[in-house]
Every structure is written in C-alpha cells, then in structure tokens.
C-alpha cells in the first residue's frame, strides 16, 4: 500500500486564477501534480485582466497594472510565459489646479514654492538626506528641521490626508503607517514612480500571459464557479469538497475570513468603482495615472492609451472611486490594515494554519498590500512549501 501511495499522482485544487493561483498551478503542474483551478469570474487573470475596448484601446478592467521588481528570478519567471517591453510608469497629482509628479520631487517644490524658498528647501533636503534617493512623508513630518517639516505638512494637508480619507474611508491616524510610506518623497528631480531594475509591461496583453502560464496538460481551469459553495471546513478541521473529506491540497487565494464564514467578524477591505469615459482628444492628462486628492468623490484617473503607449485615435480613461467592500455586491481590492484588523486577521490565520492540506496566498488571503512582484514571490514560496511537504 505504501508503494502505491508513493506512486499516485498528487492533486491540488486552487481557488483563484489570478497571479498567485496561476503561478502556483504552473509550478505544481510542472512537478507532475494534477491541478484544478476554480475561478468565480468569467475570465482568468484576476485583477491583472485586460482587454481591448470598443474604441480599440487596450485597458485594464480592474485598475492599472505594471510589473516591476528588483529580483531577476521573479522577472525570469514572468519572462517564461510572455515577451515583455520596458515601461517606466510616470504618475502625478493635481494639487491646487496644478500638476506635479509623484513621488513628489524637486519639481514639486519648484511648482509650489517661490524661487528663493524653493532653492533653500532643496539644499536642506539634499544635506539632510545625503546619500538617499527617497525618504518617507512620515519621516519628514517628524523631522527636526522646520523647513522639511513644513514641506511635509503642506503635502500632508493638500494630498496625503485627503487622498487617504477617500481611499480608505478612515482618518490617516487610523491607518497603518506602512500605507503612508508607499509613496515616498524624492530628494532630487528624478521622475518615475518606481526605481526597480525591471519595469515592464507585456508586449501583447496580460491575458495572453495568463493563457500561457495556465496552458499545461496537468492544469484544468473552471470559470464562473464560486469555490466557497463547494469547499467547507468541518468540525474536525478537515477540508471537505461538496460535503466529503478530501486528500487534495487546497490553495486558497480569496479573502481568508470568508473561508471561515466570518466567524470572528468580517475583515475590512476597500473596493473600487470605475466610471469609464472616452474623448476624441489625443491626451486627457499629463501622466497615465494621476491622483486628484482635492476632487470631490473620486481618487484618481487612469488614461489607458498611455499604459502602455498606444498609437490610437481618441483616449479612454477610468475615473476611480473608492468604497467599502460588501460581500456579494462588489470586489475586495485592498485590505484595510489597522491594529484592529491585524488582530482579527491573526485569528483567521491561526485557524488556517491548523488545517492540514490548506495553503493560502495573495493580497486577500494574506491580508497584505502586495505589489505584483511581492505576490509572485509569495506564490513561488508557497509552491515550494507544498512540494516539500
């Protein structure tokens, strides 16, 4: 019997066909596992899904996505399944009816400060943060240097606090500081949103990438299936599929609280709503992605003919609104990370860790604000762990 068990083909059921689910599926399939992927949407690709709209413009259905990483191993993994073009994302913000690049840099100082004061502030920043390309707004707000603190307070009042309130539905003081640190301040005129060595977008589409990564004889994908209608945890902490115990490995990439019927209460996530528009003009705004902290209601606008650059007539753009996630009504996008939510998540994590054969991964399941490369790194680690165990 032991010999037969060793020779049997291991099986995995993966919930979600986004980047984490697809990457784990591919790694396991190449190791000889039989893998089923359940996806509740009518398409693969998760929030990276893209398509060509009625105006012939390639757009991202769930908000802008560019792949960037400092790690060659992560880029090499992506490069196995698609051809990638260099793409250096530029972003901005409209403050007091004027445009400034983000992350905020010396151009920001020139835009909002009189000449003499601007020159003095730039020199102070260079001296204070010597040898550093960036610093956080949290550092600047706590700086002992009055000029730096004043600059940070200006940006906090005009941008960070307003954007945070709209994006998260909370006061800035209630948000984990890691969120405020995601968009740093630059100590130079350098432009561009990221500094990673690898910054790319697919030569064709993200959908092509997902079609290729999931194209393996050991992988079967089922779409428009709500996995939680079939998967449950019984009183013995065993995983059941359609009411029967299973020996399959289960990889879950959804919201972890929902796997346990929110028994400790719901975890907070933010959702998004997109107001899609098209105009017969060559350009709508100064950068592909622009934040509008002082605007009423919406948070940012993404102009997709610039993401990537497309030689097409007219322009399609999405006006983005942040709202509370309601299960069954909209999509969870961002975990709202506070001290209370971290404590609640730890309870669900403890439950999940006590269930044999269950693995979880991704922005929702890990309750972390991952970039794409961070999600991929986590997925590859989980895949290796499954194979080892």
């Amino acid at each position: 019997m032991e010999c037969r068990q060793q020779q049997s083909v291991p099986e995995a059921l993966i919930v979600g066909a986004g980047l984490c689910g697809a990457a784990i599926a591919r790694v396991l399939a190449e190791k000889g596992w039989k893998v089923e992927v359940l996806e509740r949407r009518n398409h693969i690709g998760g929030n990276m899904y893209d398509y060509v709209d009625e105006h012939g413009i390639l757009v991202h259905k769930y908000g802008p996505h560019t792949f960037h990483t400092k790690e060659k191993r992560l880029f090499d993994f992506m490069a196995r399944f698609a051809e990638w073009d260099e793409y250096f994302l530029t972003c901005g913000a409209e403050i007091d009816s004027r445009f400034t690049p983000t992350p905020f840099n010396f151009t920001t100082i020139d835009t909002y400060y009189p000449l003499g004061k601007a020159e003095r502030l730039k020199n102070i920043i260079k001296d204070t943060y010597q040898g550093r390309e960036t610093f956080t707004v949290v550092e600047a707000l706590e700086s002992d240097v009055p000029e730096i603190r004043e600059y940070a307070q200006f940006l906090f009042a005009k941008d960070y606090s307003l954007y945070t309130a709209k994006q998260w539905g909370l006061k800035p003081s209630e948000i984990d500081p890691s969120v405020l640190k995601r968009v740093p301040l630059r100590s130079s005129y350098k432009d561009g949103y990221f500094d990673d060595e690898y910054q790319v977008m697919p030569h064709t589409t993200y959908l092509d990438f997902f079609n290729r990564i999931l194209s393996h004889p050991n992988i079967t994908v089922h779409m428009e299936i709500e996995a939680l209608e079939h998967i449950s945890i019984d009183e013995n902490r065993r995983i059941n599929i359609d009411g029967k115990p299973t020996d399959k490995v289960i990889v879950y990439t959804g919201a972890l609280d929902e796997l346990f019927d929110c028994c400790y209460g719901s975890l907070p996530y933010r959702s998004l709503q997109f107001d899609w528009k098209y105009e017969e003009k060559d350009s709508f705004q100064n950068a592909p992605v622009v934040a509008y902290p002082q605007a009423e209601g919406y948070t940012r606008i993404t102009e997709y003919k610039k993401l990537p650059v497309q030689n097409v007539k007219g322009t399609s753009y999405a006006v983005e609104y942040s709202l509370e996630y309601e299960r069954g009504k909209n999509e969870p996008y961002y975990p709202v990370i506070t001290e209370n939510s971290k404590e609640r998540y730890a309870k669900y994590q403890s439950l999940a860790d006590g269930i044999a054969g269950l693995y979880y991964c991704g922005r929702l399941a890990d309750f972390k604000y991952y970039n794409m490369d961070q999600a991929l790194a986590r997925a590859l680690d989980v895949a290796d762990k499954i194979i080892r165990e």
Side-chain angles (χ1 to χ4, degrees):
M1 184 177 290
E2 287 183 4
C3 186
R4 285 199 298 272
Q5 286 178 340
Q6 290 172 358
Q7 292 174 351
S8 64
V9 176
E11 295 181 79
L13 181 67
I14 296 178
V15 179
L19 182 58
C20 285
I24 294 172
R26 184 68 186 213
V27 172
L28 296 184
E30 290 180 348
K31 291 292 185 179
W33 288 59
K34 288 291 185 182
V35 181
E36 281 189 277
V37 180
L38 303 185
E39 172 54 57
R40 63 183 172 81
R41 291 169 171 167
N42 63 359
H43 60 76
I44 58 176
N47 287 355
M48 293 166 62
Y49 174 72
D50 53 5
Y51 65 97
V52 176
D53 71 6
E54 64 269 32
H55 307 289
I57 298 173
L58 180 66
V59 300
H60 301 176
K61 183 173 182 178
Y62 304 98
H65 287 78
T66 65
F67 186 81
H68 57 94
T69 184
K70 293 178 171 65
E71 295 191 52
K72 185 176 185 298
R73 72 178 182 103
L74 300 179
F75 173 74
D76 287 346
F77 181 87
M78 302 289 282
R80 290 181 55 202
F81 308 104
E83 181 181 349
W84 300 85
D85 297 329
E86 272 195 335
Y87 181 84
F88 298 99
L89 179 66
T90 57
C91 297
E94 186 176 287
I95 298 173
D96 292 346
S97 301
R98 285 178 282 180
F99 174 84
T100 178
T102 55
F104 300 116
N105 61 10
F106 283 180
T107 300
T108 306
I109 296 173
D110 292 342
T111 301
Y112 296 102
Y113 279 72
L115 181 60
K117 192 172 182 180
E119 291 304 315
R120 174 173 166 75
L121 176 58
K122 288 182 289 185
N123 288 329
I124 289 172
I125 288 174
K126 284 190 284 188
D127 289 341
T128 303
Y129 300 104
Q130 195 168 15
R132 291 179 57 181
E133 181 62 40
T134 64
F135 56 102
T136 72
V137 71
V138 177
E139 286 179 276
L141 286 168
E142 297 171 350
S143 175
D144 293 331
V145 182
E147 291 88 347
I148 292 177
R149 195 166 59 250
E150 179 192 8
Y151 175 51
Q153 289 168 345
F154 166 78
L155 293 175
F156 190 80
K158 297 282 188 176
D159 181 276
Y160 283 92
S161 64
L162 303 177
Y163 194 89
T164 298
K166 286 192 292 185
Q167 176 73 359
W168 299 103
L170 294 170
K171 298 175 184 177
S173 60
E174 297 175 298
I175 287 287
D176 192 89
S178 63
V179 174
L180 293 176
K181 294 176 181 178
R182 283 179 62 85
V183 183
L185 310 179
R186 291 196 183 277
S187 55
S188 68
Y189 281 101
K190 185 174 180 180
D191 202 358
Y193 202 72
F194 304 112
D195 294 324
D196 297 343
E197 180 177 355
Y198 302 96
Q199 300 185 47
V200 296
M201 291 193 70
H203 184 68
T204 54
T205 65
Y206 282 116
L207 183 57
D208 283 347
F209 163 78
F210 278 96
N211 280 324
R212 292 183 186 185
I213 197 172
L214 291 169
S215 179
H216 189 283
N218 286 344
I219 299 175
T220 305
V221 179
H222 306 280
M223 288 185 280
E224 297 185 87
I225 292 182
E226 178 51 75
L228 294 183
E229 294 177 0
H230 301 275
I231 296 173
S232 60
I233 312 296
D234 65 24
E235 64 275 8
N236 298 316
R237 305 185 96 181
R238 286 199 56 175
I239 304 170
N240 291 339
I241 298 179
D242 293 326
K244 297 179 181 178
T246 181
D247 291 325
K248 291 182 180 181
V249 160
I250 305 294
V251 180
Y252 182 76
T253 69
L256 198 60
D257 57 338
E258 295 178 5
L259 179 61
F260 297 99
D261 291 325
C262 301
C263 62
Y264 295 124
S266 297
L267 289 170
Y269 298 90
R270 293 297 284 178
S271 186
L272 297 175
Q273 177 181 314
F274 301 97
D275 185 6
W276 289 91
K277 297 179 181 293
Y278 172 82
E279 292 190 33
E280 292 281 355
K281 57 170 60 174
D282 288 335
S283 177
F284 174 76
Q285 58 189 16
N286 291 346
V289 182
V290 177
Y292 293 84
Q294 297 168 318
E296 186 65 35
Y298 62 92
T299 53
R300 66 179 181 179
I301 296 176
T302 302
E303 187 173 9
Y304 281 101
K305 72 177 296 181
K306 300 173 180 177
L307 191 82
V309 176
Q310 302 171 60
N311 184 20
V312 291
K313 180 183 178 183
T315 189
S316 293
Y317 58 93
V319 183
E320 192 169 312
Y321 297 82
S322 177
L323 60 158
E324 186 176 350
Y325 167 60
E326 296 181 76
R327 187 177 180 182
K329 293 185 178 180
N330 50 27
E331 296 283 345
Y333 283 82
Y334 305 108
V336 182
I337 302 173
T338 65
E339 288 304 316
N340 286 338
S341 67
K342 286 191 290 187
E343 289 176 9
R344 183 173 296 177
Y345 174 76
K347 295 180 181 180
Y348 288 113
Q349 190 175 30
S350 180
L351 279 181
D353 288 342
I355 297 173
L358 174 65
Y359 298 84
Y360 53 93
C361 178
R363 180 183 280 196
L364 302 181
D366 290 331
F367 203 68
K368 289 186 178 177
Y369 196 166
Y370 287 141
N371 289 328
M372 288 158 59
D373 64 324
Q374 295 168 320
L376 177 60
R378 167 74 170 143
L380 296 180
D381 287 345
V382 169
D384 287 344
K385 183 180 180 182
I386 292 170
I387 291 166
R388 287 197 314 270
E389 294 180 351

